[in-house]
Amino acid sequence: MRLSASNLASLPATVARPAYDRGALSVGIVHLGVGAFQRAHQAAYTDAVLDQGGGQDGAAWGIAGVSLRSPDTRDALAPQDGLYTVAVRDAEGERLRVIGCLTELLVAPEDPPAVLERLTRPAVRIVTLTVTEKGYCHDPATGALNEDHPDIRHDLNTPDRPRTAVGFLVEALARRRAAGVAPFTVLSCDNLPGNGDTVARILHRFAELRDPAFGAWVADTVACPNSMVDRIVPATTNADRARVSDALGAEDAWPVVTEPFSQWVVEDRFPAGRPAWETVGVEMVADVHPYETMKLRLLNGSHSTIAYLGYLAGYETVSDTMTDQDFASLIRGLMDQEAGPTLRMPPGADLERYKSALITRFLNPALRHRTWQIAMDGTQKLPPRLLNPIRDRLAAGLPIDRLALGVAAWMRYVAGTDEQGRPIDVRDPMAGRLAEIAAAAAGDPDRLAQALFGLTTVFGEDLPRDPRFTGPVTAALRRLFAEGARAVVAATA
Ligand code: CS2
C-alpha cells in the first residue's frame, strides 16, 4: 500500500498529519528546485501555517513544486498525491509528520511551457528557489550573472523553452507584465550571501540583455527579499525509506530525514502578500545579512572544512568526523578564533550558544550526513564559506591558519585520489577543469595550488596576489600530501 490521500486518515496515531482540507488549497507559491531541503524546511513551515488555519487567505498558499532537472521527485510523489513524510531524528528517536501542502509537481525539462504557464497565473504570488549555488549561473567570486554560461545563452536565445531558473523567472515576468498581472515575489532559499540581492541582480541583468526597458521594470517592481535558511537535511537513503514506510504502515517512496533544529530568517518584503510564517517560528526581520553571514561562516564554513578533511581522513559522515577529538577541536577553534571574530552579530543573538549548538548538531548520531555529499560543488561553496572570512581577517591583519587548512583540504580533495590512492568522485560544475589541473600538477602541491589559485571565479583577483593567503594555503597543502589529514588536523587543532 502506498501513502496517499485515501489512506492519510488511517495512518498510526503517532504520525502527525495535515488537519487542513487539502482539497481547498490553491497554488500561491511555485517552488523551483523541489528537493529534500525545501521539503524539510520551507514546505514544513508552510504546512504548519496551514495547519493553524493559515490566517485570512490561508487556503491560497498551496505549493507547486518544479524540478528543473530530473523527474525523480515527481515520480516518487505524484502516486502519493504529493504527500511525503518528514522524519525528525536525533539520539532520542524519530518523529514523523506527513506534509500536505505540495499539491502539484512539474518537471521542467519535460514541458517548459507548462511551467511558464503555471508561473504566469495571477494566483501565484511567490516563487521560492532552492536551486543550489550553481543554479544561479553566476560568478561566485563577484555575484554577477555568467553571461557566457551555455544555459544562459540558450535561455536568452530560446525564451519560451528555458532551462535555468533565471530563464523561467524572467520569461514568466515578461508574460505577466504583458498581461498586466503584478509580478510575483522571488524568494531565494539558497546558501548564498545576500541571496535575494544576488537573484535580483541576476534577474535584472538577464532581463536587461533581453530589453533594457524590461530590465528597468524588473529592477523596479520585482521584490527579492533576502533569507537565511538553516536545517541539516542529508540525502534520503533506502534504509530511511524502509524505516519510515514501516512506521507508516504504507510505502513512502521519498521521505525526508532531518534534525530537530530549524531556522528561517526572512526579510519582510512581500508586496503581493505571504503566508503567516511568523506564526510558526519564522523570524521576519528588516535585515537578514548578519544572520546569513553568521550561518554561512560558522555552520557552512565548518561543514565544508569537516567534509574535505573528514573525507580525506576516511570518515564517512559528519558525526563520525566530529567524534574524533582532534577534528572537534579544530572546528571549535575555527569558529572561536577565526570565523566568529569576523561577524557582526544579529541583535539578540547569542554567539556562544549558537556555536555550542552547532557542535551538538554536527554530532547528531542519527543523521548519516556524508562528507562526500557536502564536499560537492566546492568551487561554488568556498567563496562565501571560507574565502570571505579570510578576506576580512587579512584586511584586519589577523592569522588564517584554520581557514587556510580548509581551503587546502579542498585542493587536496580535488586532486582526485584519496590518501589510499583510491579515486575520489569529485562532483562540481568545474569538475572537468579541476581534473585537468590535477593531472597537470601530478601530485606536486606547489603546482596544484598555483594552478587552482588561477581560477578567478573562485579566488577573485585579490587573494591569489596576496602571499598572506597563498603562503599558508600552499604550506597546508604540502603537509596534507606529506602527512595526511589526521596528522595535520591534530597538529593544527
Ligand atoms: C551543507 C548544507 O551540503 C552542504 O553544503 O553545508 O546543505 C547545510 O547542511 C545546510 O545549509 C544547513 O542549513
Side-chain angles (χ1 to χ4, degrees):
M1 188 178 65
R2 193 74 175 261
L3 170 66
S4 72
S6 61
N7 57 31
L8 194 54
S10 50
L11 297 177
T14 47
V15 179
R17 72 205 76 178
Y20 52 91
D21 176 8
R22 296 186 74 223
L25 294 182
S26 59
V27 169
I29 300 175
V30 175
H31 182 78
L32 304 185
V34 60
F37 180 74
Q38 181 260 350
R39 293 198 286 129
H41 188 266
Q42 178 227 318
Y45 281 108
T46 304
D47 181 75
V49 173
L50 297 175
D51 226 30
Q52 292 195 353
Q56 266 187 353
D57 57 354
W61 298 114
I63 302 176
V66 179
S67 297
L68 291 171
R69 296 181 352 176
S70 105
D72 298 0
T73 305
R74 189 270 325 269
D75 291 351
L77 300 192
Q80 305 180 178
D81 303 315
L83 295 168
Y84 64 92
T85 314
V86 172
V88 175
R89 304 193 83 194
D90 62 10
E92 263 118 65
E94 182 163 63
R95 287 189 311 284
L96 305 181
R97 175 172 174 91
V98 173
I99 302 291
C101 58
L102 203 56
T103 56
E104 265 181 52
L105 289 144
L106 292 94
V107 181
E110 284 178 4
D111 193 355
V115 175
L116 287 170
E117 193 276 322
R118 222 314 144 224
L119 287 165
T120 310
R121 292 197 213 165
V124 172
R125 291 187 272 160
I126 303 176
V127 180
T128 49
L129 307 177
T130 50
V131 294
T132 79
E133 296 87 343
K134 61 180 175 290
Y136 292 81
C137 304
H138 71 313
D139 171 351
T142 62
L145 179 70
N146 175 0
E147 295 171 27
D148 299 324
H149 193 297
D151 290 341
I152 293 297
R153 305 281 358 136
H154 172 274
D155 288 3
L156 284 167
N157 291 328
T158 326
D160 54 346
R161 296 192 71 81
R163 288 180 185 154
T164 66
V166 60
F168 276 106
L169 292 169
V170 171
E171 175 60 15
L173 287 165
R175 293 181 186 193
R176 291 175 82 107
R177 181 181 182 226
V181 174
F184 39 67
T185 299
V186 180
L187 178 61
S188 164
C189 300
D190 281 295
N191 288 318
L192 303 172
N195 53 11
D197 301 339
T198 302
V199 79
R201 191 180 319 115
I202 285 165
L203 292 176
H204 174 211
R205 181 64 188 147
F206 187 96
E208 189 175 49
L209 289 170
R210 288 180 48 164
D211 163 18
F214 175 46
W217 179 85
V218 166
D220 287 348
T221 58
V222 182
C224 301
N226 291 294
S227 78
M228 180 273 246
V229 293
D230 189 8
R231 196 169 209 189
I232 294 174
V233 189
T236 304
T237 63
N238 286 335
D240 297 326
R241 288 184 173 88
R243 200 185 54 251
V244 170
S245 299
D246 247 21
L248 294 179
E251 187 199 346
D252 182 346
W254 211 339
V256 285
V257 176
T258 187
E259 59 175 341
F261 183 92
S262 188
Q263 190 177 15
W264 197 10
V265 188
V266 184
E267 185 186 346
D268 203 356
R269 203 150 52 81
F270 291 80
R274 61 166 174 80
W277 283 319
E278 75 285 0
T279 60
V280 293
V282 181
E283 296 159 71
M284 305 299 305
V285 303
D287 181 11
V288 174
H289 288 105
Y291 295 91
E292 185 181 90
T293 315
M294 172 180 85
K295 193 258 171 172
L296 278 167
R297 295 185 181 187
L298 294 180
L299 189 157
N300 299 111
S302 300
H303 245 179
S304 290
T305 305
I306 293 168
Y308 299 118
L309 288 168
Y311 185 98
L312 292 168
Y315 291 123
E316 195 188 345
T317 67
V318 172
S319 64
D320 293 348
T321 312
M322 289 295 282
T323 42
D324 180 324
Q325 274 318 312
D326 291 333
F327 281 75
S329 351
L330 176 81
I331 295 304
R332 192 75 221 201
L334 179 80
M335 295 199 278
D336 288 344
Q337 310 295 326
E338 297 193 11
T342 67
L343 302 173
R344 178 169 64 88
M345 286 306 291
D350 180 340
L351 186 58
E352 290 312 310
R353 237 175 71 198
Y354 187 82
K355 290 186 296 191
S356 300
L358 277 183
I359 300 286
T360 311
R361 292 171 65 194
F362 292 155
L363 280 166
N364 186 339
L367 291 187
R368 309 261 327 140
H369 201 185
R370 295 178 68 196
T371 47
W372 175 80
Q373 186 188 351
I374 300 167
M376 283 187 216
D377 295 350
T379 57
Q380 302 281 319
K381 292 175 178 174
L382 244 44
R385 299 177 179 206
L386 298 176
L387 303 179
N388 286 346
I390 284 177
R391 285 192 172 89
D392 287 354
R393 290 187 66 80
L394 292 178
L398 297 167
I400 57 163
D401 298 333
R402 298 173 184 86
L403 290 160
L405 176 57
V407 176
W410 169 74
M411 293 182 162
R412 174 65 190 82
Y413 181 89
V414 302
T417 44
D418 71 10
E419 294 180 359
Q420 280 67 47
R422 291 174 301 221
I424 300 176
D425 179 5
V426 177
R427 301 279 175 97
D428 194 283
M430 295 180 77
R433 181 86 193 95
L434 295 174
E436 280 167 24
I437 291 177
D444 178 326
D446 289 64
R447 281 169 60 194
L448 180 62
Q450 202 50 43
L452 290 170
F453 289 142
L455 300 174
T456 42
T457 60
V458 181
F459 294 103
E461 306 280 350
D462 55 338
L463 290 176
R465 286 203 204 110
D466 191 337
R468 295 173 308 157
F469 171 70
T470 55
V473 173
T474 311
L477 185 59
R478 282 186 206 126
R479 293 191 64 186
L480 284 172
F481 272 106
E483 299 163 38
R486 280 180 203 231
V488 181
V489 167
T492 316

